[in-house]
Amino acid sequence: MPLFELFRLTKAKLESAQDKNTSSPVDEVMELVWENGQISTQSQSSRSRNIPPPQADHQASSSRAREIGNSSKTTMVDEIPMSVPSLMTSLSQDDDLVPWLNHHQSLDGYCSDFLHDVSPVTVNEQESDIAVNQTVFPLSQRRNNGNESAPAASSSQYNGFQSHSLYGSDRDRDPPSQQAKLGRFTQTQEPLTTPSNKPGFINFSHFLRPAALAKTNNNNLHGTKEKSPQSPPNVFQTRVLGAKDSEDKFLNEYIASATPKDNQKACLISEDSGRKDQESEKAVVCSSVGSGNSLDGPSESPSLSLKRKHSDIQDIDCHSDDVEEESGDVRKEAAPSRTGMGSKRSRSAEVHNLSERRRRDRINEKMRALQELIPNCNKVDKASMLDEAIEYLKSLQLQVQIMSMASGYYMPPVMFPPGMGHYPAAAAAAAMAMSMGMPPYAMGLPDLSRQGSSVNHGPQFHVSGMQQQPMAMAMAIPRVSGGGFYTGSSTMDMNKSDDGSTRDLSTSKDQTTMKNNSNSLKPIKRKHSSSDQFRGSSS
Amino acid sequence: MSNRRSRQSSSAPRISDDQMIDLVTKLRQILPEIGQRRRSAKISASKVLQETCNYIRNLNREVDNLSERLSQLLESVDEDSPEAAVIRSLLM
């Protein structure tokens, strides 16, 4: 309803804006900027963030604006219409990441209608009472609107409405962080430029999926939380971000890093459950998209750094909640206004609980992501799942080694001098000796396998010579590693055929005997999803 | 115990802290980066899990690349030759 109107509006804007906007890649994220009651789209690239003076846009949004303080940080608060919550719930089911918002800075200039539609929650850190949450509505304006990735579900919905991204020109949103937010939404990791510095950006605390990452720092933001509009706890958890630049950055970085590459789970509305507490709870942090799928690569470092922050706070020891206290303390600062009259103790307690819960949520989220990565993982038990993960990881390492070695062998067509009779055995022995040092070993191995007698055979010859080595290695490796990961007798069959074709390698027989090992190595090609084999052997 | 509060974990049974620590330690050892470097440093479980996910993805990617390379090699080799069989087996 109002959202759809918004969608139409944004769509229109986008279409108009598309022409004038810089030609951005297909997946460019377009942002709708609220300006004095109007939505203007601008691509992120052209966007530069700055904080527009609230006064300028004030009049437009005055109607909408609550009596929130009119300080520069004033933000409009608008309760989200009930339709939104329903939308949110549907979104939440998607598990997609709905990035949020935020940004406090001058939210003025909201378009009243938009505010109406959007459940903007602006958090004004300054405001003690008025929690204005600024949610950034990332507008994933995909030209093609094709969201293949998981966030698609949510983002598609957003596209449905042409989710307008309102970026409050927040303080110093890092361009990457901004982009990250958008990226999350859009699901593409295209680099996002800083939002334009159009004044009157409005950050709407969009009902974003609460990020699992609760930024402890952000908690301060929550301090101001949005009370008003977003009060319905059942709604999405609008992320209140933002008050602190640092926190925002932290969050943003995380988001950026979390941009899902494969994006699976964007945000989990963990906050949803029973998040009745108004305090920092509000800050729903979108869980790392895809559980940090996008953390790979450059974005990883910021995320790692971010995580490091948390790691400092959260120990690996599950039982040590002392660290939680730290985070709790951080949150406590944010919460002072929130809990207000509540005694400090209760506040700290709930803050502690909050941090604990956040930590748990984060871990759970990661576990889920890991579970998705592991093929044929149907374990519900955490311990068993981790066990499988460990096994799978080992098998993957092994496989990579084998394959790299094999490709190293077969790549360079080299003529090997004859006389490698006993070499294969030696190679096999060496292979067994060092299961982990395959690649280097492989490099040295061709030197060993010198067999140049059958020159006429040429490439074939050397290959055949080489093949013994890989086979030896292949057979050896499972032994060394206790061979449990692969099943199948493909290698065995190969050896058999080799025997017939080998010319001067008497050791082929030896290697055949090696095949007796029940755990023949059968590299698992992911495409073939031989996970079942893996499964069988791993158990 | 580990679950102080209502742990909304998807996994049903509560996993003991020691168990979790043990597993995470194992993962750390496997992981190329964190596991070997600072053993004493406390790494949050979430970070370890994150690293594991990343590592798995990287490995998968490598496997794909290697498979591609092997398949290319396979094309350059006689179909019936033993090495072809070897490569095929690796690719599977």
Side-chain angles (χ1 to χ4, degrees):
Chain A
M1 46 146 286
L3 281 171
F4 293 124
E5 285 177 358
L6 185 59
F7 166 68
R8 287 199 302 272
L9 258 173
T10 58
K11 212 179 207 177
K13 289 260 179 207
L14 283 171
E15 287 167 2
S16 64
Q18 280 186 3
D19 301 340
K20 62 183 177 205
N21 278 354
T22 64
S23 61
S24 56
V26 173
D27 291 337
E28 183 185 358
V29 172
M30 303 295 297
E31 294 184 356
L32 296 184
V33 178
W34 302 88
E35 291 186 57
N36 291 338
Q38 298 196 21
I39 301 180
S40 66
T41 60
Q42 36 188 333
S43 66
Q44 295 195 356
S45 53
S46 59
R47 214 172 5 145
S48 62
R49 308 200 50 90
N50 48 4
I51 289 109
Q55 307 78 8
D57 306 326
H58 208 49
Q59 60 273 13
S61 53
S62 57
S63 62
R64 266 339 283 172
R66 300 273 178 120
E67 43 283 67
I68 315 259
N70 292 340
S71 61
S72 60
K73 297 291 183 82
T74 312
T75 56
M76 312 298 290
V77 175
D78 201 353
E79 59 271 345
I80 302 165
M82 283 337 269
S83 60
V84 174
S86 60
L87 177 66
M88 283 315 302
T89 52
S90 63
L91 282 180
S92 60
Q93 288 156 13
D94 295 341
D95 219 11
D96 286 345
L97 176 57
V98 177
W100 25 272
L101 68 163
N102 140 48
H103 223 94
H104 53 46
Q105 266 239 275
S106 51
L107 276 196
D108 293 4
Y110 293 73
C111 180
S112 59
D113 346 348
F114 283 103
L115 288 183
H116 206 34
D117 299 345
V118 179
S119 57
V121 180
T122 55
V123 178
N124 196 343
E125 67 247 14
Q126 299 159 352
E127 310 290 352
S128 57
D129 286 345
I130 300 163
V132 182
N133 299 339
Q134 300 189 0
T135 52
V136 173
F137 232 108
L139 169 63
S140 56
Q141 178 58 30
R142 306 290 194 105
R143 302 286 165 86
N144 51 9
N145 276 359
N147 301 334
E148 64 290 358
S149 50
S154 61
S155 55
S156 58
Q157 295 191 6
Y158 281 111
N159 286 342
F161 341 91
Q162 286 304 330
S163 58
H164 43 280
S165 63
L166 307 180
Y167 268 105
S169 46
D170 32 354
R171 30 262 188 188
D172 39 341
R173 243 254 185 169
D174 294 342
S177 62
Q178 284 286 344
Q179 299 169 356
K181 289 203 203 140
L182 291 179
R184 278 182 93 196
F185 230 157
T186 59
Q187 230 147 64
T188 50
Q189 315 317 341
E190 61 268 19
L192 304 178
T193 60
T194 59
S196 64
N197 39 11
K198 283 250 198 118
F201 285 169
I202 297 178
N203 293 336
F204 286 121
S205 59
H206 197 34
F207 32 90
L208 305 169
R209 299 274 260 131
L213 305 197
K215 298 348 175 59
T216 58
N217 306 343
N218 293 330
N219 291 332
N220 344 8
L221 301 183
H222 314 326
T224 52
K225 296 241 151 266
E226 26 106 68
K227 311 195 170 108
S228 46
Q230 292 312 347
S231 54
N234 52 354
V235 287
F236 27 82
Q237 310 49 20
T238 54
R239 208 87 231 244
V240 178
L241 263 196
K244 294 291 185 65
D245 295 348
S246 61
E247 287 144 8
D248 191 24
K249 265 187 205 181
F250 177 85
L251 185 55
N252 292 340
E253 287 180 16
Y254 186 87
I255 299 299
S257 61
T259 43
K261 295 220 183 131
D262 16 4
N263 62 81
Q264 308 4 341
K265 335 229 169 194
C267 288
L268 50 108
I269 313 223
S270 55
E271 317 286 298
D272 236 348
S273 54
R275 223 47 101 117
K276 298 318 178 164
D277 11 0
Q278 299 305 326
E279 56 279 33
S280 51
E281 292 294 322
K282 285 314 178 14
V284 178
V285 183
C286 285
S287 64
S288 61
V289 182
S291 60
N293 294 349
S294 59
L295 276 183
D296 294 349
S299 60
E300 192 163 0
S301 41
S303 67
L304 283 183
S305 62
L306 283 178
K307 294 222 205 126
R308 221 156 272 129
K309 267 201 228 172
H310 285 288
S311 347
D312 300 341
I313 297 178
Q314 303 156 4
D315 274 348
I316 188 177
D317 301 340
C318 308
H319 51 261
S320 67
D321 274 21
D322 300 339
V323 278
E324 301 295 350
E325 293 297 348
E326 301 178 41
S327 61
D329 294 340
V330 176
R331 295 208 181 88
K332 252 188 279 190
E333 308 164 9
S337 59
R338 256 5 288 309
T339 51
M341 1 304 185
S343 69
K344 278 208 177 347
R345 181 195 310 256
S346 63
R347 218 185 322 145
S348 70
E350 62 190 20
V351 162
H352 173 80
N353 289 345
L354 209 82
S355 60
E356 172 73 13
R357 190 190 311 183
R358 293 242 174 94
R359 175 170 167 272
R360 292 262 175 244
D361 289 342
R362 202 173 334 186
I363 290 182
N364 291 343
E365 173 195 355
K366 301 263 181 354
M367 298 275 295
R368 274 194 296 272
L370 188 59
Q371 189 174 14
E372 287 180 2
L373 280 176
I374 299 178
N376 285 3
C377 180
N378 53 359
K379 300 285 195 300
V380 296
D381 183 19
K382 274 192 184 181
S384 64
M385 208 207 75
L386 283 181
D387 283 333
E388 280 186 18
I390 291 172
E391 288 180 10
Y392 180 62
L393 196 52
K394 285 186 191 162
S395 68
L396 262 189
Q397 280 179 342
L398 201 56
Q399 181 178 6
V400 167
Q401 280 180 357
I402 298 281
M403 293 179 75
S404 65
M405 184 194 67
S407 62
Y409 271 132
Y410 290 107
M411 245 351 168
V414 177
M415 293 301 299
F416 299 110
M420 71 165 263
H422 55 282
Y423 281 164
M432 288 159 70
M434 45 170 164
S435 60
M436 304 306 283
M438 276 319 166
Y441 184 82
M443 293 310 142
L445 205 54
D447 300 337
L448 293 180
S449 59
R450 303 280 170 191
Q451 26 184 343
S453 62
S454 314
V455 178
N456 52 355
H457 292 282
Q460 204 167 13
F461 183 81
H462 81 271
V463 174
S464 64
M466 280 200 313
Q467 76 191 5
Q468 298 303 325
Q469 310 310 323
M471 296 319 303
M473 304 273 188
M475 303 313 297
I477 289 172
R479 285 220 192 130
V480 175
S481 62
F485 301 126
Y486 300 98
T487 59
S489 58
S490 60
T491 53
M492 290 187 182
D493 300 338
M494 234 178 350
N495 278 345
K496 287 189 172 54
S497 63
D498 294 345
D499 297 346
S501 56
T502 46
R503 301 168 226 345
D504 57 352
L505 297 176
S506 57
T507 55
S508 62
K509 297 285 194 285
D510 303 339
Q511 297 178 3
T512 308
T513 59
M514 288 172 60
K515 294 181 312 193
N516 293 340
N517 183 0
S518 61
N519 299 329
S520 63
L521 181 66
K522 180 172 181 152
I524 296 174
K525 189 169 185 193
R526 288 191 48 82
K527 299 184 178 124
H528 292 265
S529 70
S530 52
S531 55
D532 49 2
Q533 296 168 1
F534 163 76
R535 185 104 330 219
S537 57
S538 59
S539 61
Chain B
M1 67 151 22
S2 62
N3 346 331
R4 301 302 162 80
R5 66 171 76 211
S6 60
R7 178 204 293 232
Q8 305 129 7
S9 61
S10 53
S11 55
R14 311 283 189 159
I15 187 174
S16 79
D17 283 343
D18 293 340
Q19 227 178 345
M20 183 65 100
I21 295 173
D22 194 29
L23 291 172
V24 173
T25 307
K26 272 198 225 165
L27 274 180
R28 279 185 63 185
Q29 289 165 357
I30 297 177
L31 290 183
E33 172 191 332
I34 296 294
Q36 284 90 30
R37 259 199 319 206
R38 7 177 206 150
R39 300 215 174 259
S40 59
K42 284 193 170 171
I43 311 277
S44 73
S46 69
K47 182 168 186 186
V48 171
L49 289 176
Q50 181 65 61
E51 295 290 337
T52 303
C53 290
N54 295 341
Y55 190 50
I56 288 182
R57 285 191 211 104
N58 289 339
L59 286 182
N60 285 340
R61 219 177 331 156
E62 284 211 33
V63 168
D64 292 340
N65 291 342
L66 287 174
S67 302
E68 200 178 323
R69 258 205 308 182
L70 281 178
S71 58
Q72 288 172 2
L73 276 177
L74 188 61
E75 293 165 6
S76 66
V77 165
D78 287 353
E79 283 309 311
D80 298 330
S81 62
E83 52 273 14
V86 172
I87 297 179
R88 249 181 253 113
S89 75
L90 285 176
L91 285 176
M92 228 5 262

